[in-house]
Amino acid sequence: MAIPTAELHVHLEGTLEPELIYQLAERNRVELPWAGIEDLRTRYDFTGLQHFLDLYYANMAVLRTEEDFADLTRAYLARAVRAGVRHTELFLDLQAHTGRGVPAEVVLRGVDDALGASEAEYGVSSGLIITLLRHLPGEAATEALREALEVDVRLLGVGLCSAETGSARPFREAFELAAAHGLHRVAHAGEEGPAANVTEVLDVLGAERVDHGIRALEDDAVVERLAAGRVPLTMCPLSNVRLQVVGSLDAYPLRELTDRGVLVTLNSDDPAYFGGYVDDVYRETAAALGLGTQELAALARNSMEASFVSEVRRAELVAEVDAWEAGLREA
Ligand code: ADE
Ligand code: ZN
């Protein structure tokens, strides 16, 4: 049985599998530039973040209708359930769709309907985080968030992702707007960018969690700050290897961070692109680093501690990890 987890760093669009890309392309009569699914898969050999992002945004062209967004969300949830996910805080790159002319309402309704249904069908709780795109201007981010706030769907938070270049300062206004609406705040930083970017999103954007944050290790003061403040890192080992942020999974600095008191969680990022969903991430990381049952259970409990659920829901989720661990001890 897969370890019960809270998934805190997964981009909905990063769960768009090649098979679904082709199905949606046919349904929406979108012409794709590849010779087929296998040809598309040969392009998943990335030299770095921007190389990946170029294909990731291009593939989104097949997502056009409310039904498409609902189908994508349902497909992710069905796979996530098999991966042991009991709670998910899902990233949505809203601007990547509104920028192509798909109305915010179409995107948000499709995703929200499917998330609501999954609660009833699978018992998976969920929240939606609008990830603003760092390669676009700050004003565009504020505008996108305003549009999202006008749609009658549940929003959990706001995030920041895409190319980690330039300052995060232009996004301050959007993050302030999010806070004023009671939304949580997270941000990608310290993935390809330096440790100073981690400090910046904490100070300027009020980020409550840092997505990736692996390059915090290049500055002891930043690591100490994360540990002292119990600021969680949502780490994605398979992504970091596939985007050449780290050389190999055996060299992944997970224990170094946990030993120094940082609250680390394991996540998939863009599972359709990086070779695995969160169960694969746990299994492969455990195999590479020799993590035992206790360490895996501690990582799963970290995911619940770092999530934005209520205390009641958190206690339920932690009890599921306790039961999983006890089950393995008895076996
Ligand atoms: N958007 C999707 N995946 C991402 C990643 N790994 N880093 C930044 N932005 C992203
Ligand atoms: Zn990410």
Side-chain angles (χ1 to χ4, degrees):
M1 179 186 139
I3 185 164
T5 55
E7 180 143 64
L8 306 178
H9 184 161
V10 57
H11 301 259
L12 177 65
E13 299 87 347
T15 72
L16 181 56
E17 294 283 351
E19 289 75 12
L20 188 54
I21 292 176
Y22 269 83
Q23 274 172 35
L24 296 179
E26 200 175 323
R27 181 154 99 192
N28 293 326
R29 295 186 170 65
V30 174
E31 193 100 25
L32 293 173
W34 307 287
I37 291 177
E38 282 321 307
D39 182 34
L40 171 57
R41 278 194 198 283
T42 64
R43 322 225 162 211
Y44 284 24
D45 200 6
F46 303 112
T47 54
L49 178 57
Q50 191 57 53
H51 183 199
F52 154 70
L53 289 171
D54 290 343
L55 183 65
Y56 167 79
Y57 291 126
N59 283 344
M60 291 180 203
V62 300
L63 293 162
R64 304 224 60 94
T65 66
E66 198 170 310
E67 190 188 4
D68 299 340
F69 285 93
D71 285 351
L72 174 61
T73 309
R74 272 194 290 268
Y76 158 65
L77 288 165
R79 179 63 183 85
V81 166
R82 284 190 277 124
V85 173
R86 305 295 302 132
H87 173 75
T88 181
E89 295 178 4
L90 194 57
F91 294 160
L92 177 71
D93 290 6
L94 182 64
Q95 290 167 280
H97 311 301
T98 54
R100 300 181 287 115
V102 184
E105 191 163 356
V106 165
V107 180
L108 289 167
R109 283 209 190 291
V111 176
D112 187 63
D113 279 357
L115 288 180
S118 86
E119 205 118 15
E121 191 175 343
Y122 305 115
V124 175
S125 50
S126 60
L128 195 55
I129 295 178
I130 305 293
T131 30
L132 303 169
L133 301 184
R134 189 169 177 151
H135 69 270
L136 297 176
E139 299 79 50
T142 307
E143 187 46 42
L145 183 59
R146 277 194 211 289
E147 270 183 66
L149 288 166
E150 276 168 22
V151 182
D152 183 24
V153 294
R154 291 176 314 152
L155 296 182
L156 177 67
V158 69
L160 183 69
C161 69
S162 196
E164 200 184 340
T165 49
S167 168
R169 246 167 224 288
F171 301 93
R172 185 180 196 135
E173 191 190 6
F175 274 65
E176 281 173 359
L177 177 66
H181 281 82
L183 299 185
H184 287 286
R185 290 169 286 175
V186 299
H188 283 56
E191 179 187 16
E192 275 198 346
N197 284 5
V198 173
T199 306
E200 190 184 44
V201 299
L202 298 177
D203 290 342
V204 176
L205 304 182
E208 299 162 74
R209 288 195 306 241
V210 175
D211 300 312
H212 294 294
I214 186 166
R215 289 192 58 195
L217 276 165
E218 292 167 20
D219 186 335
D220 287 347
V222 178
V223 173
E224 280 153 29
R225 177 170 178 188
L226 293 170
R230 290 298 273 170
V231 179
L233 295 186
T234 64
M235 302 196 79
C236 307
L238 298 188
S239 162
N240 292 156
V241 172
R242 293 292 284 267
L243 297 187
Q244 312 208 21
V245 171
V246 296
S248 69
L249 216 46
D250 331 346
Y252 206 73
L254 182 96
R255 277 212 187 87
E256 187 177 345
L257 285 161
T258 52
D259 287 352
R260 293 173 71 181
V262 179
L263 180 61
V264 170
T265 68
L266 289 183
N267 305 274
S268 64
D269 205 4
D270 301 288
Y273 291 88
F274 301 147
Y277 286 76
V278 77
D279 50 340
D280 304 309
V281 174
Y282 272 76
R283 193 187 56 256
E284 289 186 33
T285 308
L289 301 181
L291 303 176
T293 303
Q294 270 187 358
E295 281 171 295
L296 290 173
L299 286 163
R301 286 192 197 93
N302 282 356
S303 74
M304 282 127 199
E305 181 178 343
S307 74
F308 296 132
V309 295
S310 69
E311 286 310 314
V312 172
R313 180 65 179 143
R314 197 184 319 275
E316 280 173 12
L317 292 169
V318 170
E320 291 193 31
V321 182
D322 294 346
W324 175 85
E325 200 179 2
L328 282 191
R329 260 200 306 271
E330 279 160 25

